Amino acid sequence: MQVIIRDTMPQASVWAARYIVEKINAKAAVSDKPFVIGLCTGSTPIETYAELIRLYKAGKVSFKNVVSFNMDEYVGLPVEHPESYHSFMHHYLFDHIDQPAENIHILDGNAPDLDAECAAYEKAIEAAGGFDLFLGGVGEDGHIAFNEPFSSLQSRTRVITLTRETREINSRFFDGDPEKVPAQALSVGVATVMGAKEVVVLAFGSKKARAIKDAVEGPISHYCTLSALQNHPAGIIVCDEPAVGELKVNSYRYFKATE
């Protein structure tokens, strides 16, 4: 595992975006196969997406041969709802780049058969050749995607019942009312994420410090699903200084020195 530490969230976001662009361009230079990327939502990746848009407009990258799969979507929320992840992704990224619509995949939380939707999503990822890179965030309790504590580390895309804590945290997007947050979501599994060739996880702010400590220094545990990254051969956590505030001094020094 590698931990990239920058002073501020904007600096860390720029690092992540430029790393993604580097990987897209590197594959394009040697192959005509699409670059397959997993994408996340929430406030954490917004500045990373803004930097990706800036780099695209500057002619530094094209998304014409990029295939994306988003990690999750709420169940029962209309696609046009401003807080659906369909709306989020188009607002913060897709509407501003040249990625073809047919290359964009987001789970359908209104599918008539949710289990079939999840199974088809896994097959679509496999058919695309698997993830070259998965970009994710982490919850305050250490969950990745909507894989809440005690999710199996071998889990695949499925229907998830959200914890009260997650609904309370996400209520900031729903007029501060946890009851307006859907009780369920569709989410890729821990094993789905960890199957990517590379995993890049963003973590910003002091509220994520305990999760980062548990994921980096703690045991691999279904209590902190991000801790599965310890077993990944190419896992990177990109943090600002507040997010690494609970790491041991020697851990902090190690990651700064090895970078």
Side-chain angles (χ1 to χ4, degrees):
M1 182 190 294
Q2 187 178 8
V3 179
I4 301 296
I5 304 167
R6 291 292 179 266
D7 289 344
T8 66
M9 182 263 285
Q11 291 172 345
S13 298
V14 166
W15 186 96
R18 293 181 179 179
Y19 185 82
I20 291 167
V21 167
E22 176 186 325
K23 294 298 179 177
I24 292 172
N25 290 337
K27 185 171 184 178
V30 298
S31 174
D32 59 0
K33 292 182 179 179
F35 188 89
V36 184
I37 187 169
L39 297 174
C40 60
T41 55
S43 56
T44 297
I46 288 176
E47 293 207 31
T48 295
Y49 292 155
E51 179 67 8
L52 287 176
I53 294 166
R54 191 193 70 77
L55 292 170
Y56 160 69
K57 291 183 176 179
K60 303 295 185 182
V61 65
S62 171
F63 294 87
K64 286 184 178 178
N65 201 27
V66 172
V67 173
S68 65
F69 291 84
N70 264 77
M71 60 167 45
D72 43 28
E73 179 57 289
Y74 289 114
V75 168
L77 203 64
V79 169
E80 62 274 12
H81 191 286
E83 297 307 330
S84 78
Y85 292 155
H86 284 74
S87 294
F88 176 98
M89 290 304 305
H90 282 277
H91 178 73
Y92 286 106
L93 183 62
F94 296 146
D95 288 350
H96 311 283
I97 59 176
D98 61 345
Q99 186 176 352
E102 62 268 23
N103 288 359
I104 296 170
H105 301 84
I106 305 177
L107 284 156
D108 181 3
N110 296 288
D113 187 333
L114 295 177
D115 290 333
E117 169 70 8
C118 293
Y121 206 67
E122 284 283 338
K123 290 180 179 178
I125 293 168
E126 182 180 357
F131 292 112
D132 290 292
L133 185 150
F134 207 112
L135 176 69
V138 59
E140 293 178 21
D141 56 8
H143 74 257
I144 187 166
F146 271 133
N147 294 287
E148 305 278 20
F150 308 113
S151 294
S152 168
L153 301 186
Q154 299 302 315
S155 57
R156 293 286 178 178
T157 305
R158 66 207 188 284
V159 183
I160 300 283
T161 298
L162 304 181
T163 65
R164 180 69 183 182
E165 181 182 10
T166 293
R167 294 176 73 193
E168 287 176 351
I169 291 170
N170 287 2
S171 68
R172 67 189 189 278
F173 303 117
F174 291 84
D175 302 322
D177 184 358
E179 295 304 319
K180 292 183 179 180
V181 181
Q184 290 187 312
L186 304 184
S187 175
V188 297
V190 180
T192 312
V193 176
M194 296 303 155
K197 295 181 181 70
E198 293 189 77
V199 179
V200 176
V201 174
L202 308 175
F204 305 138
S206 59
K207 290 183 178 180
K208 303 297 176 72
R210 172 58 62 174
I212 295 306
K213 177 179 176 59
D214 290 345
V216 174
E217 297 178 339
I220 297 174
S221 167
H222 61 183
Y223 183 75
C224 173
T225 53
L226 180 59
S227 65
L229 197 63
Q230 293 179 28
N231 268 343
H232 198 282
I236 302 174
I237 302 178
V238 185
C239 303
D240 60 5
E241 284 284 347
V244 295
E246 293 197 25
L247 289 181
K248 295 175 182 175
V249 172
N250 282 345
S251 299
Y252 176 90
R253 288 175 175 169
Y254 170 81
F255 290 119
K256 293 291 282 188
T258 53
E259 184 189 346

